[in-house]
């Protein structure tokens, strides 16, 4: 049974957290990769867009909770999510209208848009901090666990327990649903096809009668939706803190580039790769080896936990240097 | 310098005097010191972005490396720590060096099916070997007087020397980074440098044997006397009574003026050097590469080498400023470096001041730092004004008062976006050469668009 215990231990502390974190990164990377392939610039304000959408959802959740509206056992945030998405979509469309459209129409080089996105980053960051404050905000409710460690131990008779928290299960369900929906949207609908055509060959798409402003608008809407969903799921899983979303920006960039720019399914693969490499390399395997009958001297932790983020940056830099097209052969603009 | 820049300079000087009169001279001089440091950082970024078109968003990393130089050069050495782990450290770095050499060799020599697995094997083996040599040594070093030392300490050399060394540290790192990353296109270079800066900071925060990590190195030596000592000396007390100030506040002002003088000298020297470099044939080549790299290459210019040179020089300037900042604060606090303050803020300075104009970068450094600091009292005042009719304990009023410090971020974003939109070349645009009409369009979107419009009309 010890071998089984060892693997349950890994599942509980490595696989499940990495799956949840990977799904959150994948959602974020999906939105970023769509933006990248249509608007052709790296949006530095994306992390703060996630924070903004999550903030709007937190506010809506509080309002619903105050009015006693809930969907127990599911978290109220799920009910508030559409409102958060609406707020994020409205904000991004406004920002596009007043900031990015100006440079797009003038055919400015994409680096000008990158620099403009730094300004937008400060704006969104400020709005989030002013409205909800920089501190930790709790908004999760509903039942805590789908599978609790105690029940698992009782059911299987093992020493190690496997627990799956509700936000984790929700994250996995949502990411699968969104991936399926996005596939259908991009490959089966007329709008999705026009978006892909626009990203593949802008001039040809324009000649075929694709309305560029409409494509851009829809891209913003979808990416704001994905950013908000990713932000809310991350907040439910951990907790809502504005600055953590800025820190998420680099793992998300890493996932996007690893998967290949403009490759939606590459972005999903990239998200999971980054999440697994961060968690697999920073887990202390001492107890795992003890179950296997070997008493190691140290913690058996390949990389100290403090370097968790550095792992994803490291992967990002290596991919950029050695295979800038990503694993799925994305396009270099 | 034209009339416009003189007006801006007068405006900033006037604001500093106003801050001195209304708030306090101590604060005003403190702002001036950081304005000077910011101007130097902006000068470095401007060299890279404004003149060479290289997007380096890793400013934070280079500034922190400059700060590290102050610790390693000027902090008192901890000889017990050297005795405890010095040799093991040398051994570990030898092992690491061998591993890197083996990795590079296998990357160069081997071909496709073997290359990746062998490199991964070499990397893993090298990491394990280095760690087994390193961990006992590091533990021994960190165990020595952990409350006050717990690290190797520095060399105990004069702190002013560390400014130069800080420049070299940043230059060395920039050379390594530039060697591998400069081939990337603009967006990718931006993301790569952002990531590399975070890695540098992760190392500085966690390697306690080197920097004490988040325990911070405090009490670094200063190039100027300590205020408390100053107040003891007779000539100083007489001087204080001469200007009708209490010795403590005069000491503080005296020291701040001293720093301002030091920083101003460095800024002046660097500004002069930058101007000379930019007007030289080398500088004109750099700008030609920025405007059209293909054409410059066709003219026989070595684009890669020149870009590497600018990247290294600009980063060195940022490193010097980073060292000066740590010297001014007298402590190295790796936990406090954040991209919003050390990278993107410097970029705002360059963009607002005027990319491609050294005077513009200096103006941006002064202006943006002034706004960054004065935004807080201004927004507190605005909030007081807005909530003046509300009850003291109303939730909105409390929320707004809590939020006042964050308005500076809002101001920064707004200033940057407004300047980019309505004055894309910045407040002090770069001087246009006489033959501007015949030149390739520059980086700013405005000029490009007007040319396109002309083409469309024609």
């Amino acid at each position: 049974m010890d071998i089984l215990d060892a693997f349950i231990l890994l599942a509980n502390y490595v696989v499940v957290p990495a799956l949840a974190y990977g799904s959150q990164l994948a959602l974020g990377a999906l939105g970023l990769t769509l933006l990248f392939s249509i608007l052709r610039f790296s949006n530095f304000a994306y992390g703060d867009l996630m924070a903004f959408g999550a903030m709007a959802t937190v506010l809506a959740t509080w309002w619903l909770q105050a009015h006693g509206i809930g969907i127990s056992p599911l978290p109220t945030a799920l009910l508030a999510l559409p409102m958060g998405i609406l707020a994020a979509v409205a904000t991004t469309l406004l920002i596009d209208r007043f900031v990015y459209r100006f440079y797009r129409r003038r055919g400015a080089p994409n680096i000008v848009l990158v620099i403009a996105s730094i300004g937008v980053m400060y704006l969104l960051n400020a709005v989030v901090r002013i409205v909800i404050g920089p501190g930790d905000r709790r908004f999760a409710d509903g039942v805590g666990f789908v599978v609790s460690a105690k029940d698992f131990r009782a059911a299987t008779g093992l020493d190690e327990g496997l627990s799956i928290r509700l936000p984790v299960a929700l994250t996995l369900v949502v990411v699968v649903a969104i991936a399926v929906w996005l596939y259908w949207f991009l490959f089966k609908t007329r709008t999705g096809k026009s978006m892909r055509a626009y990203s593949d060959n802008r001039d040809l798409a324009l000649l075929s009668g694709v309305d560029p402003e409409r494509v851009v608008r829809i891209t913003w809407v979808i990416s704001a939706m994905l950013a908000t969903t990713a932000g809310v799921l991350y907040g439910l899983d951990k907790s809502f803190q504005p600055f953590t979303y800025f820190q998420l920006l680099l793992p998300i960039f890493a996932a996007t580039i690893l998967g290949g720019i403009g490759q939606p399914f590459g972005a999903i693969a990239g998200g999971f790769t980054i999440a697994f490499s961060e968690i697999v390399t920073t887990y202390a395997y001492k107890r795992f080896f003890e179950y296997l009958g070997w008493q190691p001297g140290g913690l058996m932790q390949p990389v100290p936990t403090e370097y968790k983020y550095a792992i994803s940056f490291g992967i990002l830099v290596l991919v950029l240097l050695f295979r800038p097209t990503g694993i799925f052969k994305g396009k270099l603009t | 310098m034209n009339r416009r820049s003189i007006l801006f300079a007068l405006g900033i000087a006037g604001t500093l005097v106003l801050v001195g009169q209304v708030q306090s001279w101590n604060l005003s001089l403190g702002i001036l010191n950081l304005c000077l440091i910011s101007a130097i950082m902006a000068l470095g970024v401007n060299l890279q972005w404004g003149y060479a078109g290289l997007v380096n968003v890793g400013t934070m990393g280079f500034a922190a490396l400059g700060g590290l130089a102050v610790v390693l050069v000027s902090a008192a050495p901890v000889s017990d720590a050297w005795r405890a782990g010095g040799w093991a450290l040398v051994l570990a770095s030898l092992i690491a060096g061998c591993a890197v050499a083996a990795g590079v060799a296998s990357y160069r020599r081997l071909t496709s099916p073997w290359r990746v697995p062998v490199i991964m094997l070499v990397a893993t083996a090298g990491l394990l070997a280095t760690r087994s040599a390193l961990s006992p040594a590091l533990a021994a070093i960190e165990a020595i007087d952990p409350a006050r030392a717990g690290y190797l300490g520095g060399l105990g050399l004069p702190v002013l020397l560390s400014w130069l060394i800080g420049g070299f540290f940043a230059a060395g790192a920039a050379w390594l980074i530039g060697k591998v990353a400069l081939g990337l296109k603009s967006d990718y270079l931006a993301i790569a440098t952002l990531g590399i800066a975070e890695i540098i900071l992760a190392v500085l925060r966690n390697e306690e044997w080197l920097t004490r990590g988040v325990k911070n190195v405090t009490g670094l030596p200063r190039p100027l006397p300590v205020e408390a000592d100053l107040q003891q000396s007779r000539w100083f007390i007489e001087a204080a009574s001469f200007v009708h100030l209490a010795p403590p506040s005069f000491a503080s002002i005296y020291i701040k003026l001293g720093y301002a003088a030091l920083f101003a000298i460095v800024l002046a020297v660097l500004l002069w050097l930058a101007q000379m470099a930019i007007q030289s044939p080398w500088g004109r080549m750099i700008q030609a590469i920025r405007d059209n790299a293909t054409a410059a290459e066709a003219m026989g210019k070595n684009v890669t080498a020149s870009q590497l040179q600018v990247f290294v020089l600009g980063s060195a300037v940022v490193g010097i400023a980073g060292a000066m900042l740590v010297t001014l604060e007298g402590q190295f606090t790796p936990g406090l470096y954040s991209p919003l303050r050390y990278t993107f803020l410097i970029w705002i300075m360059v963009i607002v001041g005027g990319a491609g104009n050294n005077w513009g970068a200096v103006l941006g450094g002064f202006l943006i730092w002034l706004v960054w600091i004065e935004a807080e009292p201004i927004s507190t005042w605005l909030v007081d004004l807005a909530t003046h009719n509300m009850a003291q304990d109303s939730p909105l009023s409390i929320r707004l008062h809590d939020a006042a410090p964050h308005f500076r971020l809002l101001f920064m974003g707004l200033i940057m976006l407004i300047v980019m939109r309505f004055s894309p070349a910045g407040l002090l645009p770069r001087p246009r050469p006489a033959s501007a009409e015949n030149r390739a369009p520059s980086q700013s979107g405005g000029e490009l668009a007007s040319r396109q419009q002309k083409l469309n009309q024609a």
Side-chain angles (χ1 to χ4, degrees), chain A residues 42 44 98 102-103 106-107 109 111 115 121-122 125-126 132-134 246 261 301-302 306-307 313 320-321 332, chain B residues 55 131 180 184 187-188 192 194 198 203 206-207 339-340 344-345 399 406 410 413 416 420-421 443 446 448-449:
Chain A
S42 9
F44 276 74
F98 287 106
F102 173 77
Y103 302 103
R106 306 199 137 203
I111 193 65
I115 296 174
M121 178 180 86
Y122 272 89
N125 199 314
I132 203 164
F246 181 74
I261 301 274
Q301 190 179 20
E306 293 86 6
Y307 285 111
F313 308 151
L320 277 178
L321 297 181
L332 274 166
Chain B
V55 192
R131 270 190 61 168
V180 288
L184 296 169
D187 281 36
Y188 293 83
L194 192 66
E198 289 289 346
V203 171
N206 299 313
E207 298 305 320
L340 279 186
F344 297 117
L345 195 66
R399 181 68 272 193
H406 304 299
L410 192 73
M416 174 148 173
M420 275 186 79
R421 170 90 183 234
Q443 301 271 356
L448 197 76

Side-chain angles (χ1 to χ4, degrees), chain B residues 308-385:
Chain B
L308 186 60
Q309 289 158 6
V310 193
F311 192 70
V312 167
L313 285 176
S315 304
V317 172
V318 174
I320 292 173
M324 290 160 59
L325 185 64
V326 168
T327 311
L328 175 68
E329 286 171 352
Q331 54 177 355
F332 183 56
T333 49
L336 288 185
Y337 284 81
S338 85
L340 279 186
R341 155 75 182 85
Y342 284 92
T343 298
F344 297 117
L345 195 66
I346 313 297
W347 267 82
I348 297 184
M349 291 169 184
V350 174
I351 301 290
V352 168
N357 182 353
N358 285 327
W359 292 102
V362 172
L363 167 73
F366 271 80
L367 182 69
I368 293 297
W369 187 262
L370 244 176
V371 177
W372 181 253
I373 292 300
E374 285 302 313
E376 197 168 332
I378 291 174
S379 40
T380 310
W381 176 72
L382 282 176
V383 165
D384 282 342
L385 210 66

Side-chain angles (χ1 to χ4, degrees), chain B residues 197-384:
Chain B
E198 289 289 346
I199 294 176
I200 292 176
L201 258 296
V203 171
L204 294 183
R205 275 185 206 122
N206 299 313
E207 298 305 320
E208 290 193 356
W209 57 277
L210 187 67
T211 62
R212 299 193 82 222
V214 285
K215 289 194 291 182
N216 303 338
V217 181
T218 50
L220 287 166
R222 312 179 357 150
L224 299 171
V226 183
E227 281 93 340
D229 294 346
L230 210 57
Q231 289 169 45
Q232 304 296 320
S233 51
R234 170 164 305 211
W235 68 268
F236 187 81
I237 298 170
E238 280 167 9
S241 67
F242 182 70
V243 290
H244 302 293
L245 277 171
S249 58
F250 182 55
S252 168
I253 287 176
Y254 179 82
I255 294 294
K256 286 209 166 74
L257 275 175
Y259 274 119
L262 277 176
F263 294 164
I265 291 170
V266 176
L267 175 63
V269 169
L270 287 175
L271 186 59
W272 182 75
L273 285 175
Q275 285 292 71
M276 285 294 129
I278 283 314
Q279 286 160 10
S280 72
W282 177 82
R284 292 201 298 274
M285 173 183 71
I286 290 298
Q287 296 176 66
I289 291 174
R290 170 199 63 199
D291 290 338
N292 192 336
T294 321
E297 194 150 26
M299 300 288 284
K301 305 297 179 195
N302 189 342
V303 171
T304 324
S306 320
Q307 287 188 333
L308 186 60
Q309 289 158 6
V310 193
F311 192 70
V312 167
L313 285 176
S315 304
V317 172
V318 174
I320 292 173
M324 290 160 59
L325 185 64
V326 168
T327 311
L328 175 68
E329 286 171 352
Q331 54 177 355
F332 183 56
T333 49
L336 288 185
Y337 284 81
S338 85
L340 279 186
R341 155 75 182 85
Y342 284 92
T343 298
F344 297 117
L345 195 66
I346 313 297
W347 267 82
I348 297 184
M349 291 169 184
V350 174
I351 301 290
V352 168
N357 182 353
N358 285 327
W359 292 102
V362 172
L363 167 73
F366 271 80
L367 182 69
I368 293 297
W369 187 262
L370 244 176
V371 177
W372 181 253
I373 292 300
E374 285 302 313
E376 197 168 332
I378 291 174
S379 40
T380 310
W381 176 72
L382 282 176
V383 165
D384 282 342

Side-chain angles (χ1 to χ4, degrees), chain A residues 243-325:
Chain A
F243 81 92
T244 52
Y245 291 94
F246 181 74
Q247 291 183 335
L248 273 183
L249 185 65
L250 272 170
I252 288 178
F253 266 134
T256 310
I257 290 171
L258 183 64
I261 301 274
Q263 296 283 346
F265 298 96
I268 296 179
F272 284 107
T273 315
I274 295 290
F276 270 91
S277 5
E278 276 191 14
I279 293 179
V280 165
T281 48
T282 53
Y283 180 66
Y285 291 91
K286 186 169 191 278
R287 275 173 65 210
F288 175 72
F289 285 118
E290 280 172 3
Y291 276 120
L292 294 184
W294 178 51
Q295 298 286 338
L299 279 173
M300 297 307 287
Q301 190 179 20
V303 178
T305 322
E306 293 86 6
Y307 285 111
K308 188 168 165 249
Y309 280 112
I311 298 271
S312 60
F313 308 151
I315 294 177
L316 167 72
V317 172
L318 286 181
V319 170
L320 277 178
L321 297 181
F322 293 106
R323 201 183 163 86
T325 48

